[in-house]
């Protein structure tokens, strides 16, 4: 087991964290990061331990990696690290107030924003709207062209967009699908490379934000007049109470989609690849779905019985993490694991390096859904399993996302046969803006009635 990290406040003449990956002049470790950042961080962890430095373009970054760093962050992030200002570029991109972006604030303001989103991002919120999400899923899969190649990632995004729209606002504005995708991708790019804000906003981005504000004004008027019971109505009321600012309209329109289109949808696309390329896993999941899941009568109880399916999805998130690192800044000087961290240092929290630690997950590069069984519970070791981040900004909608992912995979594989369009395809991953399969096309066709 990794040993717990210790820290000491102040400056004590300790050495700076060791450098990992020299890279090229000017670019630093950009090439290695672009190829596979999690593998790059895992190599740094294996060579140097849980605290090391990298150079990325013009920045020196301290990386905190491994289960021991994750465990330490849970206890000490609030006092020693901050995310404030890390996403200012996003606020300027979309014209919102920087203190209205939940990932950009800490302390009391962060707590206030989490309260605003908490109910609408909870598992109970989706459970109460499970039939709506199920009906959207059934209609979506029924309408798919059969035996035609479909881009798996875009397919998952379209499905998730429809479900989030109907459950979080009561409607899915299809005409804004590509606009919202464009803005989310720009937001992620700006969070990774804040220097992009030095460039003028593209005409397309300006037009997207204008359309989102126009739609937002109309949506707010309708939701408040109807008193529609949904997250979006509550957020608009919070705006009127001053929790959000007047200029936050575009932010509030897209906020419900942020956790879905570039996270949940990508998780689902990786899971689809596992299920169409790993026949033993597929057979176990399919047998469970055929025995316990009726797609026409979905209940919380029926989904709870899908233990093997849930474990397969959890293992997919372990093997295919989406976010390689989360940015923070040191609030103060302190020594961590014998290395001096200075006030103002930029850090990256490489939380998912622990997913590939063989002390925690034996044969970590093998897909093994039984890791999550009651007998093994490998993911329960402190700091071991962190697909939703770690510390103060742990994903607020994680339990809702897990339920929605389970629902969608069950609806799809219970009634439809899914296969790779090209059986020779091997997984290729693009890590930016968020990890997702590249060139992965699937075909769907109805399963024989005797099975479905």
């Amino acid at each position: 087991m990794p040993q717990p990290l210790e820290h000491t406040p102040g400056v004590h003449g300790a050495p700076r964290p060791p450098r990992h990956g020299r890279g090229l002049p000017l670019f630093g470790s950009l090439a290695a990061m672009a190829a596979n950042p999690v593998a790059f961080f895992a190599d740094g962890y294996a060579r140097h331990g849980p605290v090391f430095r990298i150079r990325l373009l013009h920045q020196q970054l301290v990386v905190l990696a491994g289960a021991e760093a994750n465990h330490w962050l849970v206890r000490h992030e609030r006092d020693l690290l901050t995310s404030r200002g890390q996403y200012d570029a996003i606020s300027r991109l979309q014209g919102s107030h920087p203190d209205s972006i939940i990932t950009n604030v800490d302390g009391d303001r962060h707590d206030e924003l989490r309260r605003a989103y908490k109910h609408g991002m909870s598992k109970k919120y989706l459970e109460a709207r499970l039939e709506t999400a199920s009906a959207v899923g059934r209609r979506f899969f029924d309408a798919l062209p059969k035996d035609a190649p479909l881009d798996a990632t875009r397919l998952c995004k379209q499905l998730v967009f429809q479900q989030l729209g109907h459950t979080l606002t009561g409607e899915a504005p299809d005409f804004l699908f590509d606009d919202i995708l464009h803005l989310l991708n720009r937001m992620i790019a700006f969070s990774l490379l804040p220097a992009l804000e030095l460039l003028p906003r593209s005409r397309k981005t300006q037009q997207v934000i204008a359309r989102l504000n126009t739609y937002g004004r109309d949506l707010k008027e309708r939701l408040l007049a109807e008193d529609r019971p949904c997250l979006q109505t509550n957020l608009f009321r919070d705006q009127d109470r001053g929790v959000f600012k007047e200029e936050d309209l575009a932010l509030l329109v897209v906020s419900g989609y942020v956790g879905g289109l570039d996270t949940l949808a990508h998780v689902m696309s990786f899971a689809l690849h596992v299920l169409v390329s790993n026949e033993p896993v597929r057979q176990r999941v399919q047998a469970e779905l055929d025995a316990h899941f009726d797609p026409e009568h979905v209940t919380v109880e029926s989904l709870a019985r899908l233990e093997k399916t849930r474990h397969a999805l959890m293992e997919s998130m372990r093997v295919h993490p989406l976010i390689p690192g989360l940015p923070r800044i040191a609030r103060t000087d302190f020594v961590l694991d014998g290395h001096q961290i200075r006030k103002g240092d930029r850090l990256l929290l490489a939380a998912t390096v622990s997913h590939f630690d063989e002390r925690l997950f034996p044969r970590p590069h093998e897909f093994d859904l039984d890791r999550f069984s009651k007998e093994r519970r490998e993911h329960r070791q402190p700091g071991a399993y962190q697909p939703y981040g770690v510390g103060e900004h742990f994903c607020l909608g994680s339990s809702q996302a897990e339920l929605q992912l389970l629902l969608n995979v069950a609806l799809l594989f219970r009634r439809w046969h899914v296969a790779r369009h090209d059986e020779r395809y091997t997984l290729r991953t693009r890590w930016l803006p968020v990890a997702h399969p590249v060139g992965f096309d699937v075909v769907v066709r109805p399963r024989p009635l005797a099975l479905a």
Side-chain angles (χ1 to χ4, degrees), residues 420-431:
R420 287 173 289 186
H421 176 247
D422 182 354
E423 287 298 328
R424 299 167 298 176
Y425 174 82
T426 56
L427 182 65
R428 302 194 309 275
T429 299
R430 181 174 296 155
W431 287 91

Side-chain angles (χ1 to χ4, degrees), residues 234-254:
N234 294 337
L235 293 178
F236 285 145
R237 288 198 182 111
D238 285 337
Q239 184 184 33
D240 288 344
R241 287 196 291 263
V243 176
F244 297 99
K245 310 299 181 183
E246 183 177 350
E247 62 266 33
D248 293 335
L249 199 56
L251 167 68
L252 295 179
V253 171
V254 302

Side-chain angles (χ1 to χ4, degrees), residues 280-336:
V281 172
R282 181 195 186 107
Q283 288 178 1
R284 295 179 70 182
V285 167
Q286 196 71 70
E288 181 177 71
L289 294 175
D290 290 344
H292 299 296
F293 184 72
D294 179 355
E296 300 299 329
H297 300 91
V298 181
T299 65
V300 174
E301 293 74 22
S302 68
L303 289 172
R305 289 194 288 269
L306 303 180
E307 182 179 79
K308 299 301 182 187
T309 308
R310 185 172 65 256
H311 290 171
L313 298 176
M314 293 174 71
E315 177 70 341
S316 180
M317 286 188 281
R318 184 192 69 82
V319 174
H320 301 294
L322 298 189
I323 309 294
L326 299 168
R328 298 290 186 271
I329 294 176
R331 290 180 182 271
T332 185
D333 299 311
F334 60 95
V335 175
L336 179 62

